[in-house]
Amino acid sequence: DSGVTQTPKHLITATGQRVTLRCSPRSGDLSVYWYQQSLDQGLQFLIQYYNGEERAKGNILERFSAQQFPDLHSELNLSSLELGDSALYFCASSVRGGGTYGYTFGSGTRLTVV
Amino acid sequence: AQSVTQLGSHVSVSEGALVLLRCNYSSSVPPYLFWYVQYPNQGLQLLLKYTSAATLVKGINGFEAEFKKSETSFHLTKPSAHMSDAAEYFCAVTGAGGTSYGKLTFGQGTILTVHP
């Protein structure tokens, strides 16, 4: 157990639907990062939050949004889902910026859009 | 901007042979470099990291990597492969400062196969 908890582990949904992925960071970590892993794109950075505020954005689609709550857990919302959104979504956490302290990854949520 | 190139999407070795997985990076700021391993249907596990201290970094499971600034490389090695090392390995970089601070940029991954 890495200390980063992601729920659900698996999600199957239909095109056009909306889902929410949840991430609880490791105790004491203030930063949360979301990544998408797919066969064709590899591991892509989506977005970072630090202590409740958005810190950095990657190639995140406008249909996707995220937030970090006061208790530091984070949610990634995916809407108007398309077949191409099927992927493994990882959450990672770090104490602050991650470079010095490292990143801890959760086990991921596997999203299948049918 | 930062980027990582992993040379070879697939590497195959015999059990007991040397493992060498190649990683080259590009960074406009001093980099922090990482190697992660991913076993099938699992998350990413940190093998080792370079954070500007010793250039030779030792990690878990007998792996080590050497930071070579002149070659912009951070290759991962293990003297003797074990069947349990079969997995996908990712090299990643983040910057020590600037707008990229905090974000990990990954290479495309190298799948290691170990033959008996």
Side-chain angles (χ1 to χ4, degrees):
Chain A
D1 181 8
S2 69
V4 177
T5 303
Q6 289 189 248
T7 57
K9 290 193 183 305
H10 301 277
L11 201 48
I12 301 175
T13 190
T15 54
Q17 295 299 304
R18 171 189 169 96
V19 297
T20 297
L21 313 183
R22 182 188 169 104
C23 169
S24 294
R26 196 179 58 162
S27 178
D29 286 356
L30 299 179
S31 272
V32 169
Y33 311 79
W34 286 98
Y35 287 83
Q36 179 193 59
Q37 185 180 31
S38 60
L39 283 175
D40 53 344
Q41 296 291 324
L43 272 160
Q44 297 289 316
F45 168 71
L46 296 178
I47 197 165
Q48 176 198 1
Y49 280 83
Y50 175 73
N51 204 22
E53 295 187 1
E54 183 183 304
R55 178 60 64 92
K57 228 172 186 177
N59 296 325
I60 187 167
L61 300 172
E62 286 191 9
R63 301 183 285 108
F64 295 2
S65 65
Q67 53 185 324
Q68 186 179 27
F69 295 86
D71 67 352
L72 301 177
H73 91 271
S74 178
E75 293 180 356
L76 179 67
N77 300 296
L78 315 176
S79 61
S80 304
L81 285 167
E82 303 174 359
L83 295 178
D85 298 326
S86 295
L88 193 52
Y89 291 84
F90 284 111
C91 167
S93 71
S94 67
V95 173
R96 291 196 296 181
T100 301
Y101 304 100
Y103 307 77
T104 304
F105 281 79
S107 57
T109 293
R110 182 169 295 281
L111 173 66
T112 304
V113 182
V114 297
Chain B
Q2 296 161 317
S3 65
V4 173
T5 301
Q6 291 183 239
L7 301 175
S9 57
H10 290 80
V11 170
S12 180
V13 300
S14 298
E15 192 174 20
L18 171 71
V19 175
L20 171 60
L21 305 183
R22 300 177 187 274
C23 171
N24 288 88
Y25 70 91
S26 171
S27 178
S28 56
V29 297
Y32 292 154
L33 293 155
F34 304 79
W35 275 100
Y36 283 87
V37 60
Q38 184 178 27
Y39 297 100
N41 299 315
Q42 293 190 28
L44 296 164
Q45 181 183 4
L46 178 67
L47 277 177
L48 49 81
K49 61 181 179 180
Y50 166 77
T51 57
S52 76
T55 57
L56 182 61
V57 181
K58 293 188 183 300
I60 63 171
N61 301 338
F63 284 94
E64 63 181 37
E66 186 172 8
F67 173 70
K68 292 187 177 181
K69 184 177 178 180
S70 60
E71 299 177 8
T72 60
S73 69
F74 191 58
H75 302 331
L76 181 71
T77 61
K78 181 174 180 177
S80 177
H82 192 273
M83 297 294 289
S84 60
D85 294 328
E88 188 162 16
Y89 292 79
F90 293 92
C91 182
V93 63
T94 190
T99 59
S100 60
Y101 184 60
K103 180 188 82 173
L104 262 182
T105 299
F106 285 91
Q108 285 299 102
T110 298
I111 295 174
L112 175 67
T113 303
V114 182
H115 297 289

